[in-house]
Amino acid sequence: MLRTHTCGELRAEHVGATVTLAGWVHRRRDHGGLVFVDVRDRNGLTQVVFDPDAAPAAFEAARDVGHEWVVAVDGSVRPRPAGQANPNLPTGAVEVVASALRVLNPARTPPFEINREQAVEDGTRLRYRYLDIRRQRMQRNLVLRHAVTAFIRAHLNARDFLDVETPILMKATPEGARDFLVPSRVHPGRFYALPQSPQQLKQILMVAGIDRYYQIARCFRDEDLRADRELEFTQLDLEMAFAEAGDIMALNEDLFVALVAAVAPQLRIRQVPFPHLTYADAMERYGTDKPDIRFGLEMVDIGPDVAGSAFRVFADTVARGGRVKAIAAPAQFTRREIDAFEAFVKGLGAAGLAWLAFDADGAVRGSVARALAAPEIAAIRDRTGAGDGATVFIVAGDAPVVALALGRLRGELGRHLDLIDPGELAFLWLVDPPLFEWNAGEARWDSVHHPFTSAVPEDVPLLDTDPGRIRAQAYDVVCNGYELGGGSIRIHERDVQARVFALLGLSDAQVQAQFGHLLTAFEFGAPPHGGIAWGIDRTVAILAGEANIREVIAFPKSLSAVDLLTGAPSPVPARDLAVLGISVVASSPPDATDA
RNA sequence: GGGGGCGUGGUGUAGCGGUUAACAUACUGGCCUGUCAAGCCAGAGACCGCGGGUUCGAAUCCCGUCGCUCCCGCCA
C-alpha cells in the first residue's frame, strides 16, 4: 500500500510513529513560514504540518498543492501543542510533521467546492457525481446504505434465509408497469424484459423447496420518475413457505426495529409493535394508503351535518354520492395562507377549499360562515372537535378527489404548523386492502397488488358475487408517509388462481402464455407461502433524513430519466440495430447541449 | 401527456424596467511560524440558459425553447 494509515485513524497512542498518509488535499492553510494541509480520505481528516526548518523541500512542495490534489505524505506523529488540539476532529489530538510530500496526481479546480456543505444545482452534482460523492453528505449516505444492506443480510442469514439470485433478463409481463425491453439477437423480433420485481421466480423458488428466500434485488420500471421513484431501484425481496401473514409481518418488524437500533440509533420508532391500520380506515382518516401518522389532523366526514343544508355545494355533493370532509387545524391563518392552501388543493383537482375559523370570542369567520346555518356550523365544530382559535378546512367532491386533496392538505398543514418530529419513525402496517379494483376503461377487474395475491379466507365466496368487497391477505409497510413496500400471502391452489384470472378477464390461452410456467410449477406441490418486498432506497432515505432517493443512490438518473454523467440513453449505430432486426421509426433530436 | 418552481462570474446568492450588474466563497498574485471555514492586501472572472417579442431603454415584462426540480396522470 502507498500508505501506512488512513486519514481517520491516528490518535494519541500513535505519537512517535513514522507514518505515510495518502489522500486528497481537503484544505490548506499557508502561514508563510508554516503550512498546514488537511489530508482527507473517506475515513477522515488528518492535519499535516510543513515546517521549513524540519523539511524545506516538503515545505516548498506544500505551498504549491491545490484543493483535491492527490498527495502522499511521509512524516511522524506528534501531539498538538498545548491548547492547539481540535476537539471537532477524531484525529484532532495529534498532527503529522511532514518529512516529504509527493504529489500523486494534481487536480483541476473542481466545479464546486468539495469541502463545504453548500447546496449545488442537481444537474451539476450529477454531471460531476464523482466529486459530489467525495462530499460529506453523499459519503455519509452511502456509508449508511452499506450499513443497511449489510445488516439486512446478516439478520436474514442468521434466520436461515437463503440469498438466491434471479435473472435480469426475464420474460415480459403485461401486468403492472411498463417493461424495459431488451431485444434478442439470437431470436430477432423477440424481447427479454428487465424484471419489475422477481415476483414469479421467488414463488417458483418456494415450489423448489427454498423455503426461506431473500435477495437484495434490482428492479426496473419504465415509468415517469419522482422524488421517491427511479427507473431502477433496489428492493429487499423475501419469501417464506409455510408462513402466514402475521409471520411475515413479525419477521420484518423485528428486522426494522433491529435495523434502526443498529444503523440509526438517533431515531425513535413511534410505536412497537407497529400499529395495524386497515386500508378503509386509512383512506377515511388520512385520505391515503400511506399516511404519515407522526401528527394528527385527521379527516372527518361532515356529510351528515350538511346533507340537508341550504348551501347547495355541500348538499348536492352528498346527494350525488360525493363526500364532504373536514380537517380541524389548531391555528389561525392569514388570508394569504388560506389562498395558498386553496390553490394547492385546486391543483390536485378539488373544486375549492371552504374554511371556518372559530375565534376565541365566539365569532365564526370563513368562506362558508354565512352560507351555512348556525346549527350546521355547530355540528361541524362538534364533529371535528375544533376548539377556540381553530380553523376547519373543508373539501367537497368525489371520494377520490376529496381523499387526495384533503389528505395532501393535511400533510401541508402538518409541516406548516411544525407538528412533525423529524427524529421519529412512524411505522405502520396497512392491512386488508381490496383484492380488486374496477377498471372502468377496460370494463373488468384489476388486481390491486398482483394476481397471485390471496383473499382473506372468509371473503373467498365473494369471488362470484361481489369481487370489489374482497379483502386481500396483503400488507404494506408504511413509514412517515412513504410506502416502503408490501407483500401478501400468495394463492397456492390452482383452482382459486384460475378463478382470479377469469375475473381479471384473462382467457385460458392468455393465462397459459403469460403464466403457464408458474401454474405448471404449482401442480407439482406448491407449499402455502407468502412474502414481501420493500424499497432499500426509500428506507435509507428516511433513515438518512433525505427527502429524495437520489441522495442515497450513487449514480441516479435525473428526473427526466437521463444519466448526466454518462449521457445515457444514447443513439446506437445502425448496424447494431440491424443485427437485432430493429429499425427506429421515431427519435429524439440530437442532444441539445445546453450553453 | 398536463401543471407549478428555478436558471445572474466556477459555486451559492442579491438585484426584478434606466446600476460601472452587488455579496460570499472558489480562482490568481503578494504578505504572514500555530492555523483548523486561518488572516490581511491586490487582481482576474458574468454580454444575466438559448431564441424571439414589447419598450426610447430588458437580467428585470411577454411568448417559445432547453436544462434541473416538485406534483398530477402513470407507477406500488
Side-chain angles (χ1 to χ4, degrees), chain A residues 23 25 61-62 64-66 68-73 100-107:
Chain A
V25 173
D64 291 330
V65 300
E68 301 305 315
W69 287 31
V70 186
V71 297
V73 174
L101 173 77
R102 278 166 289 142
V103 174
L104 302 178
N105 219 339

Side-chain angles (χ1 to χ4, degrees), chain A residues 128-204:
Chain A
Y128 298 96
R129 192 59 158 179
Y130 41 88
L131 297 178
D132 191 35
I133 293 174
R134 281 188 201 164
R135 304 206 301 167
Q136 194 177 49
R137 178 186 194 175
M138 287 301 300
Q139 291 270 316
R140 177 175 49 87
N141 289 350
L142 293 182
V143 167
L144 175 66
R145 186 179 180 121
H146 168 77
V148 167
T149 53
F151 186 92
I152 290 170
R153 289 196 167 99
H155 188 91
L156 295 175
N157 293 346
R159 282 156 184 77
D160 208 26
F161 279 80
L162 214 56
D163 178 355
V164 180
E165 291 182 84
T166 52
I168 293 295
L169 296 176
M170 279 284 297
K171 183 180 162 78
T173 54
E175 289 270 328
R178 223 171 272 120
D179 282 324
F180 277 100
L181 297 176
V182 179
S184 167
R185 175 187 55 80
V186 179
H187 304 282
R190 298 188 178 213
F191 297 85
Y192 303 97
L194 305 185
Q196 298 178 24
S197 80
Q199 181 63 36
Q200 292 185 38
L201 289 177
K202 72 174 172 178
Q203 292 191 242
I204 289 172

Side-chain angles (χ1 to χ4, degrees), chain A residues 14 22 45-46 50 94 138 154 167 179 197 240 287 331 341 354 423-424 461 475 499-500 540-541 567:
Chain A
H14 296 98
L45 288 182
T46 300
F50 294 85
V94 298
M138 287 301 300
D179 282 324
S197 80
M240 293 168 76
F341 291 145
E424 190 166 70
Y475 31 80
R499 290 166 72 190
V500 168
V540 176

Side-chain angles (χ1 to χ4, degrees), chain A residues 333 337-345 353 393 409 412-413 416:
Chain A
F333 299 90
E337 289 170 322
I338 290 172
D339 288 348
F341 291 145
E342 174 154 40
F344 177 77
V345 298
L353 180 66
F393 293 98
L409 178 64
E412 284 298 299
L413 290 168
H416 192 88

Side-chain angles (χ1 to χ4, degrees), chain A residues 86-99:
Chain A
N86 184 344
N88 300 318
L89 279 184
T91 62
V94 298
E95 62 193 9
V96 170
V97 194
S99 57

Side-chain angles (χ1 to χ4, degrees), chain A residues 33-291:
Chain A
L34 193 67
V35 176
F36 297 94
V37 175
D38 292 337
V39 182
R40 183 198 73 235
D41 61 24
R42 78 175 169 86
N43 299 284
L45 288 182
T46 300
Q47 172 165 288
V48 179
V49 190
F50 294 85
D51 186 331
D53 303 328
F59 172 78
E60 288 305 324
R63 302 201 75 172
D64 291 330
V65 300
H67 282 151
E68 301 305 315
W69 287 31
V70 186
V71 297
V73 174
D74 301 321
S76 59
V77 183
R78 76 178 181 198
R80 300 268 187 110
Q84 299 295 334
N86 184 344
N88 300 318
L89 279 184
T91 62
V94 298
E95 62 193 9
V96 170
V97 194
S99 57
L101 173 77
R102 278 166 289 142
V103 174
L104 302 178
N105 219 339
R108 289 165 54 186
T109 300
F112 49 84
E113 289 154 66
I114 311 301
N115 57 18
R116 294 177 75 197
E117 283 299 290
Q118 188 178 46
V120 176
E121 197 209 337
D122 284 28
T124 308
R125 292 177 60 197
L126 292 177
R127 235 181 309 280
Y128 298 96
R129 192 59 158 179
Y130 41 88
L131 297 178
D132 191 35
I133 293 174
R134 281 188 201 164
R135 304 206 301 167
Q136 194 177 49
R137 178 186 194 175
M138 287 301 300
Q139 291 270 316
R140 177 175 49 87
N141 289 350
L142 293 182
V143 167
L144 175 66
R145 186 179 180 121
H146 168 77
V148 167
T149 53
F151 186 92
I152 290 170
R153 289 196 167 99
H155 188 91
L156 295 175
N157 293 346
R159 282 156 184 77
D160 208 26
F161 279 80
L162 214 56
D163 178 355
V164 180
E165 291 182 84
T166 52
I168 293 295
L169 296 176
M170 279 284 297
K171 183 180 162 78
T173 54
E175 289 270 328
R178 223 171 272 120
D179 282 324
F180 277 100
L181 297 176
V182 179
S184 167
R185 175 187 55 80
V186 179
H187 304 282
R190 298 188 178 213
F191 297 85
Y192 303 97
L194 305 185
Q196 298 178 24
S197 80
Q199 181 63 36
Q200 292 185 38
L201 289 177
K202 72 174 172 178
Q203 292 191 242
I204 289 172
L205 284 171
M206 293 301 106
V207 181
I210 308 293
D211 60 2
R212 292 186 159 213
Y213 146 89
Y214 83 97
Q215 182 182 189
I216 293 181
R218 197 66 66 85
C219 305
F220 305 84
R221 291 175 189 165
D222 187 8
E223 298 292 348
D224 287 350
L225 288 73
R226 286 283 195 284
D228 60 352
R229 277 163 35 189
E230 273 277 316
L231 297 179
E232 50 184 302
F233 58 99
T234 306
Q235 285 191 335
L236 169 63
D237 192 48
L238 179 155
E239 195 81 4
M240 293 168 76
F242 312 115
E244 299 177 291
D247 301 313
I248 310 280
M249 287 190 273
L251 176 95
N252 282 274
E253 191 163 316
D254 288 348
L255 172 51
F256 278 119
V257 170
L259 175 67
V260 170
V263 308
Q266 78 282 8
L267 299 174
R268 298 176 313 283
I269 299 179
R270 183 181 178 93
Q271 192 180 335
V272 179
F274 300 169
H276 288 219
L277 190 62
T278 66
Y279 174 89
D281 251 5
M283 293 306 293
E284 193 62 31
R285 291 160 60 190
Y286 303 103
T288 173
D289 59 359
K290 45 183 180 180

Side-chain angles (χ1 to χ4, degrees), chain A residues 2 4 21 181 190 193 219 221 274 282 291 359 393 462 522 585:
Chain A
L2 300 177
T4 61
L21 299 181
L181 297 176
R190 298 188 178 213
C219 305
R221 291 175 189 165
F274 300 169
D359 292 344
F393 293 98
L462 296 170
F522 279 6
V585 296

